[in-house]
Amino acid sequence: MDGKTPWGLATQQPAVSFVIPTMDEEPSLAKLHSEISRVCAEQQIEHEIIFVDDGSSDGSWRLIASLVASHPGTVGIRFRRNFGKAAALEAGFAAARGKFILTMDADLQDDPKEIPRFLAKMDEGFDVVSGWKRVRHDPWHKVLPSRVFNGMVSRLTGVKLHDHNCGYKSYRREIFDEVRLYGERHRFVPVLAAARGWQVGEIEVEHHAREFGSSKYGVSRLVKGFLDLLTIYFVTRFSARPLHLIGTFGLLSFAAGGMGIVYLSVRWCVSRLSDSMVDLHLHQTAIFYYCILFVLLGSQLFLAGLLAELIVSKTDDRRTVYNIADRLPK
């Protein structure tokens, strides 16, 4: 291979595509481009760099245009307005031609010197490699909620990563033939890929203090992240069988309400047959109304589960629920 690594073959098609979403980060773009190019040149990695301008209001697009004009293999994509990081990544993935795709933030907190380590980990047979910022140079009010969130994601999904939020990741390109991004799904790509049978790994990466730009995330991210986590849990576990989840809650609610009504009915009868008991008046008993509520709620949930099953069966896009890694004979 003329001394080149397996992922650095000299072909017209790049071996690695770097997808970098950016918004109002003009001061860091040229330096980031230079650092990526330098590392790739040292490692003999054929590459392309794709900047996706997610509605910047500064001079980011002018700088990207100049980088595209002066550096072959640099691509610029500009949104008409801010559509969010997931949309920017999806646009970059659609344009990427490399065998591997690396995503990183444009603020230089992610160090390009980690690129060979990501590729070496991919060469071990992993399909997704996520960065882990063990030492983070961020304020505590950003680090602490992130760690709580990462623990919740790992526990609920079974994909054990220390840092699901880290934007520094590498993927095999074919993953995105099966995993589609929308909303805020970009942080859950390893979970979605693992649900389809792809191998997910992790490496520790160096994290630099912020020098350029400002954080795009606020408190609202925690609420959105939790709601997205519930969505991902449902999609990865029950998208093909929603009745198993919704129907279970429905049956439990219906059973609880039903048993309560039976119990109250028995007490109503006994109270009228026994002279030693005060007559039970159901309409004066609060628990009677709760039992009715549980029965009605259970019935509605069960019907909702059946309707969800009907929708799944009628709108099935024929995408298989399994993923074949190899087939013999070829």
Side-chain angles (χ1 to χ4, degrees):
M1 295 189 197
D2 299 328
K4 296 188 178 183
T5 59
W7 31 262
L9 299 176
T11 60
Q12 288 188 343
Q13 180 180 2
V16 182
S17 297
F18 295 92
V19 176
I20 305 171
T22 178
M23 187 179 76
D24 296 336
E25 286 162 317
E26 179 186 6
S28 62
L29 295 181
K31 184 176 180 180
L32 176 61
H33 186 282
S34 175
E35 287 296 306
I36 293 174
S37 300
R38 179 184 62 78
V39 171
C40 289
E42 291 175 354
Q43 299 294 322
Q44 297 182 312
I45 303 171
E46 295 291 331
H47 69 284
E48 65 178 355
I49 302 174
I50 303 172
F51 288 109
V52 183
D53 185 353
D54 188 19
S56 295
S57 58
D58 62 1
S60 293
W61 181 247
R62 289 192 298 272
L63 180 57
I64 291 172
S66 68
L67 290 173
V68 172
S70 57
H71 297 277
T74 303
V75 178
I77 300 172
R78 185 186 187 188
F79 286 172
R80 295 185 183 277
R81 64 171 179 83
N82 176 247
F83 286 95
K85 188 172 184 179
L89 288 172
E90 186 172 19
F93 295 155
R97 298 180 298 123
K99 178 181 178 182
F100 301 118
I101 297 176
L102 266 76
T103 61
M104 58 197 309
D105 293 335
D107 54 15
L108 290 176
Q109 288 191 279
D110 297 331
D111 197 324
K113 75 179 183 182
E114 306 286 2
I115 293 169
R117 295 183 58 236
F118 272 101
L119 297 175
K121 190 72 173 179
M122 298 288 286
D123 207 36
E124 293 177 13
F126 290 96
D127 306 301
V128 180
V129 177
S130 180
W132 171 25
K133 297 173 287 189
R134 181 194 287 268
V135 179
R136 290 189 59 172
H137 298 281
D138 287 319
W140 69 268
H141 57 79
K142 184 177 178 182
V143 174
L144 181 60
S146 179
R147 288 179 176 170
V148 173
F149 178 77
N150 286 321
M152 289 174 56
V153 176
S154 294
R155 185 174 183 83
L156 193 59
T157 65
V159 180
K160 307 296 184 182
L161 295 177
H162 291 88
D163 195 354
H164 288 269
N165 282 321
C166 181
Y168 207 175
K169 292 181 172 71
S170 61
Y171 312 91
R172 294 190 188 276
R173 189 188 185 285
E174 52 267 33
I175 284 177
F176 298 102
D177 294 334
E178 303 181 13
V179 175
R180 185 171 164 267
L181 298 182
Y182 63 84
E184 298 292 327
R185 276 190 172 191
H186 57 276
R187 65 175 65 93
F188 296 110
V189 171
V191 175
L192 294 169
R196 298 286 295 174
W198 299 96
Q199 297 299 309
V200 178
E202 183 178 53
I203 63 170
E204 185 177 338
V205 296
E206 184 174 357
H207 185 244
H208 295 291
R210 181 182 295 277
E211 295 183 29
F212 305 98
S214 58
S215 176
K216 309 300 189 297
Y217 303 107
V219 177
S220 61
R221 181 188 182 191
L222 298 177
V223 178
K224 294 177 181 178
F226 178 73
L227 295 176
D228 288 333
L229 175 58
L230 294 180
T231 301
I232 293 299
Y233 178 76
F234 181 82
V235 167
T236 56
R237 299 292 182 89
F238 301 101
S239 61
R241 44 191 176 93
L243 183 61
H244 286 198
L245 178 65
I246 304 174
T248 298
F249 284 111
L251 288 176
L252 290 174
S253 178
F254 188 89
M259 287 188 295
I261 290 176
V262 170
Y263 168 74
L264 291 174
S265 298
V266 171
R267 280 194 58 192
W268 184 89
C269 294
V270 172
S271 70
R272 278 159 176 75
L273 294 174
S274 174
D275 295 332
S276 62
M277 292 182 63
V278 179
D279 288 350
L280 176 67
H281 300 284
L282 294 180
H283 67 282
Q284 295 178 347
T285 308
I287 193 173
F288 174 67
Y289 297 100
Y290 286 115
C291 290
I292 293 176
L293 176 63
F294 276 111
V295 168
L296 293 175
L297 178 62
S299 301
Q300 290 180 343
L301 285 174
F302 190 76
L303 289 174
L306 288 176
L307 288 175
E309 289 281 347
L310 181 62
I311 292 172
V312 168
S313 65
K314 293 297 184 182
T315 59
D316 183 14
D317 60 2
R318 297 301 171 188
R319 188 183 66 169
T320 60
V321 296
Y322 54 84
N323 187 4
I324 298 175
D326 202 354
R327 188 190 300 270
L328 295 174
K330 298 293 187 181

